[in-house]
């Protein structure tokens, strides 16, 4: 897969995740788990754009906490293992200018040598509802996957923090899953 095709696929996945996420919102019980236990990677243009569009204090926080990213294709990273330094009282200081990684959470688009990029859904209070609906969508498609996803939903539906858990979202399923959400 050449560079142009990779970018096209990446943009396509971003579009699909946004189409899914418009059907969900973070529940009141959310503890901002997306801003904890993660490394937030920035692409160069994104990082520079954020620095131009946020207040001076946020710029200082970003610059003092950003390190060179270890992820191929990314420029800077912030270690939010304890919590993102831009998170104050469970609210993001730069929410309107937050990076793409934050905009697409709980989805993670990751590089894959064979297919260009893959899509994973991390567990958080919102993604539990996505898993529930994904299981419901699978009911008409594959009864075994429906059963497995329903079991996962039952196991994690009372989640109160982010765990090391994820499910792979198959790209061939995304369009029909989005159609399912729109009919719901």
């Amino acid at each position: 897969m050449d560079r142009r095709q990779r970018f096209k696929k990446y943009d396509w996945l971003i579009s699909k995740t946004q189409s899914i996420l418009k059907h969900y919102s973070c529940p009141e019980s959310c503890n901002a788990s997306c801003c904890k236990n993660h490394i937030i990677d920035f692409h160069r243009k994104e990082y520079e754009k954020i620095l131009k569009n946020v207040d001076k204090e946020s710029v200082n926080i970003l610059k003092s906490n950003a390190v060179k990213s270890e992820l191929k294709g990314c420029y800077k990273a912030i270690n939010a293992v304890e919590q993102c330094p831009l998170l104050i009282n469970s609210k993001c200081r730069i929410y309107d200018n937050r990076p793409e990684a934050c905009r697409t959470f709980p989805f993670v688009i990751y590089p894959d040598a064979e297919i260009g990029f893959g899509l994973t859904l991390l567990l958080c209070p919102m993604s539990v509802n996505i898993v529930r609906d994904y299981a419901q969508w699978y009911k008409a498609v594959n009864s075994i996957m429906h059963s497995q996803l329903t079991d996962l939903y039952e196991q994690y539906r009372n989640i109160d923090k982010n765990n090391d858990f994820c499910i792979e979202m198959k790209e061939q399923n995304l369009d029909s899953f989005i159609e399912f959400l729109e009919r719901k």
Side-chain angles (χ1 to χ4, degrees), residues 23 45 72 82 92 107-108 121 127 168 172 178:
H23 297 277
K45 287 181 181 179
K72 184 178 178 179
E82 295 285 325
C92 178
F107 291 101
V108 175
L121 179 65
S127 69
E168 184 179 355
Q172 66 267 24
I178 292 166

Side-chain angles (χ1 to χ4, degrees), residues 42-67 75-78 86 93-94 96-99 103:
F42 299 85
H43 298 283
R44 178 183 293 274
K45 287 181 181 179
E46 175 182 51
Y47 182 75
E48 291 168 357
K49 181 181 175 188
I50 291 170
L51 290 177
K52 288 178 185 176
N53 290 307
V54 298
D55 63 275
K56 191 173 184 173
E57 188 175 350
S58 297
V59 167
N60 292 335
I61 292 169
L62 267 170
K63 285 183 173 180
S64 65
N65 286 280
V67 297
Y75 174 63
K76 294 284 186 180
I78 290 182
L86 295 163
R93 290 181 60 97
I94 63 167
D96 291 335
N97 293 293
R98 68 196 186 280
R103 290 180 188 278

